[in-house]
Amino acid sequence: MSRPRPSLGRWRLPVGAVIALVVAFLIILFGTLIGPEGTIQMTLGRGVQLAETQYINALTVGALYALVALGYTMVYGIIELINFAHGDVWMVGSFASWWVITSLGVSGPITDPVWLVIVLILAFSISMVATGVLGVIIERFAYRPLRNAPRLAPLITAIGVSYILENLIENLISDSIVTIPRPIPNTELNLGLFSIGSVNLFVIIMAVALMAALHLFINRTRLGRAMRSTAADRDAAQLMGVNINQTIAVTFFIGSALAGAAGVVQGLYLGYSQFQIGFYGGLRAFTAAVLGGIGNTTGAAIGGFVIGFLEVTCNVFGYGKWSEAFVFATLVLVLVFRPTGILGQQQGDRA
Amino acid sequence: MTASPTSGGVRPLLRIHDIHTYYGHIHALQGISLDVYAGEIVTLLGANGAGKTTTLRTISGLIHPSAGKIEFDGADVTHVDAHMLVRHGLGHAPEGRRIFGRMTVRENLQMGAYTRHAGAELDADFERVYELFPRLRERRSQAGGTLSGGEQQMLAIGRALMTQPKVLLLDEPSMGLSPILVEQIFGVIESINKQGTTILLVEQNALMALGVAQRGYVLQTGRIVQSGPAQDLLNDPEVQKAYLGG
C-alpha cells in the first residue's frame, strides 16, 4: 500500500503538447535562420529549406510515436503492465487501414475532397475500432486472468501476445512489406513563416486533436474520473462504485484505438507497413513513454516528439544509421539523471 | 449470541453469519458472526491483526468469504462485488483513508457520488458534507494529498457519505490523529448516526468507540471472543485489561 503508484496524474496534455510544438518550432526557426553559418546549413549542403522540412518531418514522426506512446503509458498507469503487444496493435492498425483503403479502391492521391474525407473517416474509424476491440480482447484473455499473478507473468504474456500478433499478420496477410496507397495529395502549403507538406500538417493536427480529446475525456468525464481513480487506488475506486474490470477494458480500448490511429498515420505518411514495424517502432514509442515519465500522458506526448527530433537530427547531420544508438543513449542518460522521466511522477501521491 | 436489547424481533440491516476468509493460506477470519440493526452504532474492537479490517473488506465485497453468509438489507450479498454493493447502500471509509491524492477535494467527493445522478439531492449531499466538515469546503479546490491527516480523514468519511450509505463502515477513523481531532471525528460520527446512517465502527481506541456505540464485539485472531452492550464491555474486566489500559 505504501508503494507509490504512478497515476494518470494531472493531464495538462494538449497544453504540454502545444508548448512542445511551439518551442520546437522556435528552436528550429532560430537554428535554421539565425544559426551560425556552417552548422546545419553546411552539413545539409542544401540550405535552410531542407532543415525546415526535416524538422517538420520530426514533428510528424514525433506525433506518430506520441500516439503510440500514449497507449503504453495509459496501460502502465492503470495496471502497471508494460504492454509489449501494444506496438503490434499499432502494426495491426496499419494493416487495418491498408485493408480499408485498398478495399475502397483507392490507389493513390484523391483529388475529390468529399471522397477524400470519406476515405479518411472510414480508415480512421474502422482501424481505431478494430484495434480498440483487439486491445480489449487481449486484456480480457491474456492479462486479466493474471492480474494478481507475480508481475513477471503478465510481462512474459505480453511478449507472447506480441509474437502471436506478428505471426498472425505474417502468415495470414503478408510476410513482406505492403504498400499502402496514400490518399492525401502531397502538396506544399505555404503558411507564411514556413511551408509544410499537406500530409505532415494533417498528421500533426490529427495527433494533437486526438491528444486534446483524450485529455478532455480523462479530466472531464465520469469514465475519465473512474480511470484516474482506478490508477490511483483500485480498492478505493471499487468502494466508490467503479467497476474495475470495465474501467481497465475502457483504458485498453482507448489506448489501442490511439495505436490504431497511429497505424493509419503510418500509412498516410510513410505509405507502407510490415508485420515487424510494431517491434521496432513500438520500442521507440515505449522509449518515448519512459522518457516522458511512464504513467503520465503529457510525458508520453512530449517523449514522442523528443524521440522524433532525436531521430531526425541524426538524419540531418548525416548520422541516420546511428539514430537508434542516439535515441537509446538519450534514454539511458535521462533515466540515470532523472529516473522518473522528463515529467516524472511525484512520489507519495497516495495519502 | 448477540440479540440487541434495542432491536426486539426486527431483522438486522446487516447480518454476518459464520464467515471464513482466507488470505492465501492464512485463515484470517475463522467463523465470524455479527449483526447490525438499523440506526445503531456498533463497534468492532480488537488488537492489530485480529481481523478487523479483513472483516470490513469482506463485508464490503472487496474480498469474498470462502464460507458463511452476508445479508444486507434483506438480500444475500455474500458474493456481490464491492462496486455493486455501493449501489445497494453500503459505504466504506477504508483503513488509511485511501483518498485520491491527486484529485481535488471536490473531485474526491464526486468520486463518492460516482454511482449517482446529478440533481438537487446530490447538491444537498455536497452541502451536507461541507456542513459536517467546513474545512473541506475551504479546501475544495486543493489536491487531496496536500491535506493534513485529520482533513484527509474528514474527506474519507465525507466521500463515503456521498455514496448515500444505509450502513457506513468506518475503519479506524481516529488512527494517527491528535486527541482534539479524535474528539471532533467522533462527534461527527455521532451526528451522522443521528441523521439516520447506521454505523459499523472498527477502532483501536476502544474507550472512544464504546463511548459512542450502543453495542460492541471483540475480535481476537479471527474470532469473536466477546460481545454485548457497549456499557457492559466498558465495565468488563477483561476488556478493560486488554483494550482500555485498565
Side-chain angles (χ1 to χ4, degrees), chain A residues 143-162:
Chain A
Y143 303 151
R144 192 182 299 178
L146 297 170
R147 201 173 291 158
N148 296 314
R151 294 178 73 174
L152 196 57
L155 192 69
I156 300 296
T157 306
I159 293 171
V161 172
S162 160

Side-chain angles (χ1 to χ4, degrees), chain A residues 1 7 9-10 219 222-223 225-226 228-229 232-233 235-244 345-346 349-351, chain B residues 57 60 62 82-83 86-87 92 94 96 98-104 107 110-112 114-115 143 145 152 159 163:
Chain A
M1 235 130 282
S7 100
R10 301 206 150 261
N219 281 304
R222 187 166 165 274
L223 255 175
R225 271 204 298 276
R228 285 189 289 152
S229 66
D233 188 333
D235 280 352
Q238 288 186 76
L239 292 178
M240 302 297 109
V242 175
N243 182 339
I244 299 301
Q345 292 283 321
Q346 293 93 328
D349 59 312
R350 188 189 287 177
Chain B
R57 287 172 61 84
S60 64
L62 285 173
H83 71 269
V86 181
R87 292 165 168 81
H92 184 171
R98 307 285 283 270
I99 58 159
F100 303 112
R102 286 163 176 272
M103 293 190 191
T104 64
E107 280 181 311
Q110 277 173 339
M111 279 310 301
Y114 181 78
T115 61
Q152 290 191 0
R159 189 180 62 173
T163 67

Side-chain angles (χ1 to χ4, degrees), chain B residues 173-185:
Chain B
S174 76
M175 190 168 57
L177 302 186
S178 69
I180 295 171
L181 274 170
V182 173
E183 289 276 351
Q184 206 182 325
I185 292 281

Side-chain angles (χ1 to χ4, degrees), chain B residues 69-88:
Chain B
K69 194 174 175 190
I70 303 171
E71 277 175 56
F72 175 56
D73 207 10
D76 181 350
V77 297
T78 315
H79 297 288
V80 177
D81 286 331
H83 71 269
M84 291 309 295
L85 266 177
V86 181
R87 292 165 168 81
H88 286 108

